[in-house]
């Protein structure tokens, strides 16, 4: 792979001002110039961080791409570090509008209206880090993600996520994926406590249930509800509410 071009060729304006943070302030003087100096901080020449005025948001990360002139943003919540918003654009003024909305605590949907390039991941904000709400947020993210997929196996995967979410027992757990394998935890991130089997959706429309990620040693099923029912039977009894993963 060829090395990326010299940043000075893609971003002469940024390099002239010394940082992306300074360039952002200049481009969006109407909405960012009034921010405190420490609210818009450089994180290297081509990266910046915009702190939020609310404690349940980590600083918004703003980055310049290495191979084409393009800007991306990523906003997370601080407890688990999970992404709430992301997106990319060619318009730095749009980035500034997103950054200001993030800074001011505008609801996530409002950030999308202020800067339409922003993509909502489906997670919602949980200011008090309530573990049951964090689990519900993660379920909402997985469901949205499943409907946004463009892979050939998206339909079986969507069916699996929806069938798992329809199970009250599984819906009460914290869901997560690894290599598109659906798994469950009795605690939230950052320290997961795995419980139950792994669920997989296959391109041929079958569904696997296994004790590990590599093989469906607990069964291969024709429908997602059958696979979910098998997974539920493997769960230990007496599971309590989701706990903080501290």
């Amino acid at each position: 792979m060829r090395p990326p071009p010299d940043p000075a060729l893609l971003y002469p304006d940024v390099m002239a001002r010394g940082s992306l943070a300074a360039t952002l302030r200049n481009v969006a003087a109407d909405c960012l110039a009034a921010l405190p100096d420490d609210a818009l901080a450089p994180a290297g020449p081509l990266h910046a961080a915009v702190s939020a005025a609310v404690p349940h948001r980590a600083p918004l990360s703003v980055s310049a791409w290495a191979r084409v002139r393009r800007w991306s943003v990523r906003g997370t919540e601080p407890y688990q570090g999970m992404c709430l918003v992301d997106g990319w654009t060619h318009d730095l003024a749009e980035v500034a509008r997103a950054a200001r909305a993030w800074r001011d605590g505008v609801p996530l949907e409002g950030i999308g209206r202020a800067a339409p390039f922003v993509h909502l991941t489906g997670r919602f904000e949980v200011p008090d880090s309530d573990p049951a709400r964090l689990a519900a947020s993660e379920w909402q993210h997985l469901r949205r993600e499943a409907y946004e997929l463009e892979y050939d196996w998206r339909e079986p995967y969507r069916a699996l996520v929806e069938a798992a979410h329809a199970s009250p027992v599984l819906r009460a757990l914290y869901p997560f994926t690894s290599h598109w394998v659906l798994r469950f935890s009795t605690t939230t991130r950052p320290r997961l406590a795995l419980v139950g089997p792994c669920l997989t959706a296959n391109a041929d429309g079958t569904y696997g249930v296994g004790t590990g990620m590599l093989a469906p040693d607990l069964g291969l099923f024709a429908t997602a509800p059958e696979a979910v029912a098998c997974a539920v039977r493997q769960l230990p009894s007496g599971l309590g509410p989701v706990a903080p993963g501290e």
Side-chain angles (χ1 to χ4, degrees):
M1 181 180 291
R2 294 163 120 191
D6 187 335
L9 297 177
L10 291 178
Y11 304 104
D13 49 344
V14 175
M15 304 312 288
R17 290 192 173 271
S19 73
L20 177 53
T23 308
L24 261 176
R25 280 191 188 272
N26 180 64
V27 167
D30 58 331
C31 66
L32 294 183
L35 289 183
D37 289 342
D38 59 353
L40 178 56
L46 297 178
H47 303 274
V50 183
S51 63
V54 292
H56 55 274
R57 288 181 181 175
L60 183 76
S61 173
V62 182
S63 301
W65 288 35
R67 295 185 176 275
V68 294
R69 184 179 170 91
R70 188 179 292 171
W71 320 96
S72 64
V73 300
R74 188 174 191 272
T76 64
E77 48 82 29
Y79 180 67
Q80 301 179 109
M82 303 305 292
C83 186
L84 300 172
V85 300
D86 57 17
W88 64 267
T89 178
H90 295 290
D91 187 349
L92 196 56
E94 270 205 316
V95 172
R97 287 192 287 273
R100 185 72 211 213
W102 179 266
R103 164 73 183 182
D104 290 347
V106 172
L108 300 180
E109 293 78 8
I111 298 175
R113 289 190 293 269
F117 80 93
V118 170
H119 166 252
L120 307 183
T121 66
R123 296 185 179 95
F124 53 83
E125 295 182 286
V126 185
D128 62 356
S129 299
D130 174 72
R133 294 273 292 160
L134 289 174
S137 172
E138 204 61 22
W139 272 115
Q140 183 168 289
H141 160 69
L142 288 181
R143 296 176 76 195
R144 174 171 292 189
E145 181 183 54
Y147 277 90
E148 293 176 343
L149 285 177
E150 298 181 355
Y151 297 117
D152 293 341
W153 41 265
R154 63 186 176 184
E155 294 301 333
Y157 181 76
R158 289 174 186 171
L160 178 64
V161 171
E162 290 298 334
H165 180 261
S167 164
V169 177
L170 295 182
R171 191 168 62 246
L173 297 172
Y174 185 93
F176 68 101
T177 59
S178 177
H179 298 83
W180 303 108
V181 176
L182 182 58
R183 310 187 73 178
F184 307 95
S185 171
T186 58
T187 60
T188 65
R189 290 179 173 93
R191 192 181 296 277
L192 297 173
L194 277 59
V195 66
C198 301
L199 288 162
T200 55
N202 304 312
D204 63 0
T206 61
Y207 302 87
V209 183
T211 54
M213 296 174 58
L214 298 180
D217 55 321
L218 295 176
L220 195 62
F221 300 90
T223 69
E226 289 177 300
V228 166
C230 174
V232 170
R233 290 194 295 270
Q234 304 301 318
L235 291 173
S237 59
L239 289 176
V242 173
E246 298 173 344

